[in-house]
Amino acid sequence: MTDAVGSIDTPDAQDEVPEAKKARKGGKRAKKGPLKRLATFYRQIIAELRKVVWPSRNQLTSYTTVVIFFVAIMIALVTVIDYGLNHAAKYVFG
């Protein structure tokens, strides 16, 4: 049996990669030593941190208050559920 055109088993001519366009082994990284790569890495970290939009003091206080309030509510909810299940288990099992 012959495969249909564009079948997975038979690659199309357009899918083939010419030999001239294959990536070189190593690339730019192979030319730099480990210390230069580490320095480049840290320079990139600092550049990315400069792009960050940091929250203002009021925003930070507001966000912190919301998180603490939410955590307190969740602690209370879990405590109430635990207390109720504890008493239900004592009632059922004596």
Side-chain angles (χ1 to χ4, degrees):
M1 269 185 122
T2 59
D3 289 333
V5 176
S7 172
I8 295 174
D9 298 332
T10 312
D12 294 336
Q14 63 189 3
D15 293 340
E16 294 177 13
V17 178
E19 296 296 323
K21 290 192 176 185
K22 284 188 178 177
R24 288 184 293 155
K25 219 174 196 180
K28 291 182 181 179
R29 285 190 184 169
K31 296 178 184 177
K32 293 182 182 178
L35 291 178
K36 283 192 176 186
R37 285 189 298 180
L38 190 62
T40 303
F41 176 69
Y42 282 118
R43 262 190 257 116
Q44 289 173 350
I45 288 174
I46 292 170
E48 287 297 323
L49 284 175
R50 286 186 180 143
K51 294 178 188 177
V52 173
V53 179
W54 298 99
S56 68
R57 189 172 202 75
N58 289 336
Q59 289 174 331
L60 190 62
T61 304
S62 172
Y63 297 158
T64 304
T65 304
V66 168
V67 168
I68 290 173
F69 185 70
F70 178 75
V71 168
I73 288 174
M74 293 309 294
I75 288 172
L77 182 66
V78 169
T79 301
V80 167
I81 291 172
D82 183 47
Y83 183 74
L85 289 175
N86 186 16
H87 280 288
K90 284 183 182 178
Y91 178 76
V92 170
F93 297 113

